[in-house]
Amino acid sequence: MKALDELTFDNRFARLGDAFSTHVLPEPLDEPRLVVASKAAMALLDLDPAVAETSVFAELFGGHKLWAEAEPRAMVYSGHQFGGYTPQLGDGRGLLLGEVYNQAGEHWDLHLKGAGMTPYSRMGDGRAVLRSSIREFLASEALHALGIPSSRALCVIGSSTPVWREKQERGAMVLRLAQSHIRFGHFEYFYYTKKPEQQAELAEHVLNLHYPECREQPEPYLAMFREIVERNAEMIAKWQAYGFCHGVMNTDNMSILGITFDFGPFAFLDDFDAHFICNHSDHEGRYSFSNQVPIGQWNLSALAQALTPFISVDALKEALGLYLPFYQAHYLDLMRRRLGLTTAEDDDQKLVEGLLKLMQNSGVDYTLFFRRLGDESAELAVKRLRDDFVDLAGFDAWAERYKARVARDGNDSQEQRRERMHAVNPLYILRNYLAQNAIAAAEAGDYSEVRRLHEVLSKPFEEQAGMEQYAQRPPDWGKHLEISCSS
Ligand code: AMP
Ligand code: MG
């Protein structure tokens, strides 16, 4: 276990120099205070969890203090936003403080979001508000606990600093951890600004640090791109299987590691709705729930375009062609497990689609349905779940197919079935209204609800005593909350 001053830095991205990032010091928040910290994320840095309660912790992550070895930098990148190219973006309100390596030899970027203005702030104030910082914190840690690759969050620091959005709010910072903060948009920036040398340097950097095994392949860059395609396909398969809607899948928000990244107006589905749009500025539904799948491929093609100096167009096309098969394989594998199946049959995709159609028509709670399906034998579970459906004949027909499929799958005991299914079907997810309740309390100065919710979501598959209220369908007021995009 380490104390705060014992972190070991090795700032590999900063060493790439001024063409890639700009030195900027964090702008401190007034009266910094700990809102919530993740012990699991602290463990990634070998940090003793007790240090979260010290005043120096809030000072460090509230922008007042800095390690001597840290080198805070704002990264430059660009990207396609809602399908159109924006030539220059960059860290407008976040700083890469440095890279820390832990005892296991892993490097973790420390990224402080809400740290003030940078050369990339454009019209923004460089700040993040408490509300959006709490949402990012809860989402990153909850996704990780569900087994969905994501950036992590060490803590949220609150403050008395006024920040103007639709109304006056308070500034906050979230300390984000990821093994890299390099986005698709980094490659696009150097490609479209026609800086081949820097682009090659960036590609070498990513290959060496994050895809070293691809070095062994005859075409290392192509192998790396294939791996990025597969990781993104797997990540999106998990989003779809668990009902996560990202909301702003611009290429500047897509990580080259295939992790969920840059949280905005995201949402988990309550009722299953393939057409759900969580981002209220997304009038066309470009990033609707079901569109996330093709958009994943669209984003990878934008990255592919930026990689044309290193990889032939034919090879890139072939690698892009792997996206859908990878996606489908991962998705179906996870959905089979969610249904309690251990074997594969050709018609399983249809079984899943049939169920989703019925759920869509009846507005069935996506999370609770699967959890309840595992509570009992297939026979008893479908009997009980039947009441949630409007199209009873349709559900009965599906239930017959499901029971027959379960019977062909093998006959394990109900105990085994429940254990197997509960291990992949969460009881607790980050419902928007739960986040909203925790935020309202935190804005009034009470952080206990954020902390409790974080705790519950860190073990989403385990039934926790006295936490029934976190495993309910939303009340009417909490069903279709408008989440402000100004974060
Ligand atoms: P996002 O939609 O959060 O991914 O942000 C898109 C771009 O706008 C990024 O370059 C951000 O750094 C920048 N940005 C977002 N909010 C602010 C803000 N409050 N101040 C400065 N820059 C911002
Ligand atoms: Mg972003």
Side-chain angles (χ1 to χ4, degrees), residues 77 81 88-94 113 116-118 120-128 165 183 248 250 252-253 262-264 485 487:
Y77 49 82
Q81 299 183 305
Q88 194 187 296
L89 294 160
D91 290 333
R93 53 158 164 182
K113 192 164 175 179
M117 302 241 272
T118 77
Y120 314 109
S121 298
R122 299 187 292 168
M123 310 301 280
D125 58 6
R127 289 303 190 193
R165 293 295 179 258
R183 306 146 190 262
V248 201
N250 294 335
D252 54 302
N253 293 337
D262 260 18
F263 294 87
C485 301
S487 58

Side-chain angles (χ1 to χ4, degrees), residues 9 11 14-15 23-24 66-73 96-98:
F9 284 83
N11 305 321
R15 287 201 290 275
H23 173 77
V24 182
L66 209 54
W67 294 265
E69 307 83 359
E71 290 175 72
R73 315 278 303 187
L96 178 61
L97 296 181

Side-chain angles (χ1 to χ4, degrees), residues 378-394:
E379 181 88 30
L380 289 176
V382 294
K383 234 180 233 165
R384 205 173 292 241
L385 287 162
R386 186 175 188 267
D387 291 344
D388 292 347
F389 291 82
V390 177
D391 175 7
L392 290 178

Side-chain angles (χ1 to χ4, degrees), residues 352-410:
V352 171
E353 284 167 5
L355 173 64
L356 295 183
K357 206 171 270 173
L358 289 160
M359 289 175 107
Q360 169 99 32
N361 290 343
S362 298
V364 173
D365 190 87
Y366 189 54
T367 300
L368 292 178
F369 176 87
F370 285 98
R371 185 71 181 191
R372 290 186 185 144
L373 192 65
D375 277 340
E376 295 170 289
S377 68
E379 181 88 30
L380 289 176
V382 294
K383 234 180 233 165
R384 205 173 292 241
L385 287 162
R386 186 175 188 267
D387 291 344
D388 292 347
F389 291 82
V390 177
D391 175 7
L392 290 178
F395 182 73
D396 289 342
W398 182 85
E400 287 310 310
R401 279 163 57 209
Y402 175 63
K403 285 188 287 182
R405 176 68 183 86
V406 169
R408 288 196 302 279
D409 195 65

